[in-house]
Amino acid sequence: MIPLDDTDRAILRALAADATLGAGALGRHLGLSQPATWRRIRRLTEAGILAGRRLVLDQAALGFGVTVFLGVTLAAKGRVSLADFERAVSAIPEVQTVQHVLGLYEYRLRVVARDLADFERVLRRRILTLPGIGAVDANVLLSEERRPGPL
Amino acid sequence: MQTDDTDRRLLRHLMADPAQPMAELARRAAMTEATASRRLDRLRAAGILKGQQAVIDWRKLGWEVEVSLRITLDKTDPRAFDDFIAAAREVPEVLEIQTFLGRVDVRLNVIARDMAHYQTVYRSRILTLPHIADLEALMHIADIKRGEALPL
């Protein structure tokens, strides 16, 4: 783990809010030269701390009005290959994220759909037909906010 | 604004690699650079493309524990949601706040340096949040699929 100073943390905070900021603009904001800022960004990227970018899109405007989180329990534990399940669930385009978790469920899925009827289609045809699927618990997302985190 | 297949194709390629140069994006999406930037400007102006955020790998910063806390609120108090969310925003270890329609009311994504630290955060910052009726925890083991790509 590489040590961070306050300037590194300020860079991470700024890029987490807007990843398109260049080293020049970011450096001016922080009172650093462009090359010095660029070197710090490169160091954070090489250490794997800056791990890519995500696009922020208005999903509803693009026709995806519904996001549902599914808690999935596998049936017949021990007889189901986790790798088979993971491969099959990851291949479903509407499944945006798959997390392996420990607790009430084994997997947590984020599923996007055009509307509730479309979600029902995805659930019946694609999710409930997965190898080894057991109980599924669904919660419809109403709002979501990302926080800057402990920087 | 109405989006067409060309917009969706452009966004699909941009989503796959948001940092790529415009020339590369235009080539992959099979259009000229001028068309690509004009369309992206239009999507931005319409509020459809809201921006790009850097993804921070908290594990690489020494935050080893990630827990998803599913919370049911005491909804007899009409201010339960607002009070709870305002207080949760004050906890630095909270990375995400989501509200739901279903069995769960709110989910918090919480990180900690290790289990001992998680215990401290859980006791001193989470259990003290207002209007909690019930709470269950899912410990995050691994990301199997990430990126939140839209099936455009």
Side-chain angles (χ1 to χ4, degrees):
Chain A
M1 199 169 61
I2 63 169
L4 297 190
D5 61 16
D6 286 346
T7 308
D8 291 321
R9 278 188 280 272
I11 289 175
L12 289 175
R13 263 198 309 272
L15 292 177
D18 182 3
T20 63
L21 282 174
L26 196 53
R28 272 195 301 284
H29 177 65
L30 298 170
L32 280 179
S33 73
Q34 178 176 356
T37 312
W38 186 81
R39 273 196 303 276
R40 281 175 181 266
I41 293 173
R42 194 182 58 175
R43 178 170 163 270
L44 293 167
T45 307
E46 282 171 354
I49 294 165
L50 281 172
R53 298 179 181 188
R54 82 167 71 82
L55 282 194
V56 187
L57 297 169
D58 182 341
Q59 301 203 353
L62 288 163
F64 295 94
V66 176
T67 302
V68 183
F69 278 87
L70 298 180
V72 172
T73 315
L74 296 188
K77 289 185 190 68
R79 280 185 284 136
V80 185
S81 155
L82 294 186
D84 285 350
F85 175 81
E86 290 175 359
R87 222 178 352 260
V89 73
S90 298
I92 304 173
E94 289 87 357
V95 173
Q96 292 185 293
T97 63
V98 178
Q99 295 173 331
H100 192 184
V101 293
L102 195 68
L104 197 55
Y105 308 108
E106 270 132 15
Y107 291 94
R108 187 165 171 272
L109 316 181
R110 181 189 178 110
V111 180
V112 73
R114 304 206 161 266
D115 48 34
L116 280 175
D118 185 41
F119 169 70
E120 192 186 0
R121 177 191 64 83
V122 174
L123 182 66
R124 283 174 186 242
R125 296 211 188 143
R126 316 213 61 170
I127 309 279
L128 295 179
T129 54
L130 286 167
I133 191 108
V136 175
D137 174 40
N139 286 290
V140 177
L141 184 71
L142 294 178
S143 74
E144 167 170 55
E145 95 178 59
R146 282 202 164 85
R147 307 292 304 157
L151 279 173
Chain B
M1 145 183 184
Q2 281 292 85
T3 53
D4 60 14
D5 286 346
T6 311
D7 291 321
R8 284 188 285 274
R9 187 169 77 236
L10 185 61
L11 287 176
R12 203 163 53 232
H13 286 284
L14 184 61
M15 213 154 42
D17 179 8
Q20 65 190 310
M22 187 63 80
E24 188 63 28
L25 174 65
R27 192 186 58 76
R28 287 191 178 136
M31 59 186 75
T32 66
E33 250 185 273
T35 307
S37 39
R38 194 173 60 243
R39 283 186 176 259
L40 288 182
D41 284 343
R42 225 160 43 90
L43 289 163
R44 268 186 218 106
I48 292 173
L49 177 54
K50 292 174 182 294
Q52 299 189 11
Q53 298 172 339
V55 177
I56 294 174
D57 186 338
W58 291 95
R59 263 171 223 265
K60 293 275 169 38
L61 283 171
W63 296 78
E64 299 285 347
V65 176
E66 186 175 347
V67 178
S68 180
L69 289 169
R70 300 151 49 91
I71 294 152
T72 313
L73 297 177
D74 171 15
K75 293 175 284 290
T76 54
D77 188 326
R79 291 204 39 85
F81 268 91
D82 293 342
D83 288 351
F84 177 88
I85 289 170
R89 284 193 187 114
E90 300 299 315
V91 182
E93 290 83 5
V94 170
L95 288 189
E96 282 175 26
I97 304 173
Q98 296 167 330
T99 62
F100 290 99
L101 186 69
R103 229 162 52 80
V104 170
D105 293 317
V106 188
R107 191 188 75 93
L108 301 181
N109 202 34
V110 176
I111 56 171
R113 295 203 167 270
D114 51 35
M115 285 312 290
H117 181 225
Y118 173 68
Q119 189 74 355
T120 309
V121 172
Y122 183 73
R123 288 184 186 206
S124 65
R125 307 299 308 262
I126 303 295
L127 289 180
T128 54
L129 292 172
H131 309 297
I132 296 179
D134 192 19
L135 177 156
E136 64 198 29
L138 294 175
M139 176 84 53
H140 192 114
I141 302 175
D143 281 314
I144 310 299
K145 182 178 186 179
R146 59 178 126 200
E148 283 177 33
L150 271 188
L152 287 169

